[in-house]
Amino acid sequence: MPTELTDYDPTLGNKFIFVTGGVMSGLGKGITAASTGRLLANAGFDVTAVKIDPYLNVDAGTMNPYQHGEVYVLKDGGEVDLDLGNYERFLDVDMTFDHNVTTGKTYRHVIEKERAGDYLGKTVQIIPHVTDDIKRRIREAAEGHDVCIIEVGGTVGDIEGMPYLEALRQFAHEEEDGDILFTHVTLVPYSKNGEQKTKPTQHSVKELRSIGLQPDVLVGRCEDKLDPETKEKIALFCDVPTEAVFSNPDVEDIYHVPLMVEEEGLDEYVMQELGLQERAIPAADRANEWREIVTQEATDEVDVALVGKYGLEDAYMSIHESLKHAGFETNTEVNVLWVDADEMDAAHAERMERADGIIVPGGFGARGTQGKIDAVQYARENDVPFLGLCLGFQMAVVEFARNVCGFEGAHSAEMEADTPHPVIDILPEQYEVEDMGGTMRLGAHETDIEPGTLAHEVYGDDSCTERHRHRYEVNPEYIDDLESAGLKFSGRAGNRMEILELPDHPYFFGTQFHPEFRSRPGRASPPFVELIETILESTGEDPEEVAA
Ligand code: GLN
């Protein structure tokens, strides 16, 4: 369980950008905020972020990916909202558990303090005790950084969000005016006759003001850029200068949002309002790598099948992003073909067989496992480049045990407790664990890589440190049998099997860890890059030449 920060130093000199959302959720305010952060980082500032999730869960670890998308894992083992993944990818930083503030975490802390007698004699209340704790968490996360972007999840007006907005109001009261900026992201829809409508924005700003918050900057999410008249109307009714109203139109690729934000001048406006301009690297000298990486033309196209059970792109967000990063690195457009492991009908099977490579991702529970095992078998027998991640790694072991070693009924003890061959079994340290939240083997752990193996070629090193999230692992009693039948465990951490490969296959690679959580534009995850490069080689393209 990651530790929580305690006291903070109130003598900080940093700047805070608060980002709220109006009208409806899912507007992409996280991407807007992360994009602004990227541009500030390009201008030389050390930027970090905090995501506030006003739900009562302590963390995202026990949440169903169907409802909230993937659970993102940080290096310290924090299981957090997927927006933190976007901040890590856009800002190219590693964040910690303290950067995800939830109602569960905050209330638990306040109640624990009450039980310990820290508030002795006082009535413990949302204001000031919960709001103080919220402010403390924001200040601590911001410590040591020039700029901290704080995104409040949900929509203004939600009951759950109220204590946070009150905390922000107090925060603004306590800090210097020039150190804080409120950005509000809303929806600007089109009417039937093609007019951009500002009423939802007006209502949402009215709601914000009723709690004592006046936005400094308004960002309108719209299909297109906002017309000048729309901007003027928003400025007039929401009481901000017209220059403080920005568009955030739909773009093809989220990685192009920073380019859009830059074009609109939002970064310059933010720097001006926060008094950062004198300290910023002059525009002409700023790093331009991001633009170069995300706008290069792909010279090739490949299809990768993703054989999972959650039919929602967000449930596998980091895998989709890792494939994009690997595509940037190899000048390849990677199309993901969705294959439902739970309903492997003819159409899904046909799609899998049409793909140039197969990924079996992580997951929990028995549903869909047979489809995953079938996908592994198909990839193994037909020399199709294959990457198995966490549960995908475990299913590769199960498939090999059943179909190559001949261990009939081999399975993971997670799926079948009384399997005759528990080739995947519960981690010994999990025997006594009863709670579900925050109790898996989590976060960054080092893996030793055997020289001369594919894993060594992929990582180019004797070790790698990747993020984990699992309760089960390869049963040490079966390692000799599996290896003498040809499966190679090329990465280990003591007695734990971390990487597997098949020497006689073009690319059959599995990892007990989740490499997708460390992939970034410009620093793609090696197992993903190797997957795409192998595909390009097998389809006759020389990746070296393509890259040149
Ligand atoms: N359910 C498996 C385990 O707990 C795999 C976890 C995962 O894929 N993240 O070990």
Side-chain angles (χ1 to χ4, degrees), residues 208-228:
L208 253 188
R209 285 161 131 186
S210 72
I211 12 190
L213 294 174
Q214 165 64 37
D216 302 300
V217 170
L218 284 163
V219 179
R221 281 286 294 111
C222 186
E223 268 170 55
D224 305 301
K225 285 190 182 176
L226 300 185
D227 302 329

Side-chain angles (χ1 to χ4, degrees), residues 73 361-365 372 389-395 412 414-415 424-427 440 468-473 512-514 516-517:
V73 183
F364 294 83
K372 292 182 178 179
L389 306 169
C390 205
L391 184 64
F393 162 97
Q394 297 175 353
M395 291 305 108
S412 161
E414 178 186 5
M415 318 305 167
I424 303 293
D425 208 352
I426 191 131
L427 293 165
M440 280 185 256
H468 295 69
R469 183 171 185 250
H470 64 117
R471 231 181 271 285
Y472 294 80
E473 66 180 6
Q512 179 59 76
F513 47 76
H514 291 272
E516 68 270 26
F517 295 135

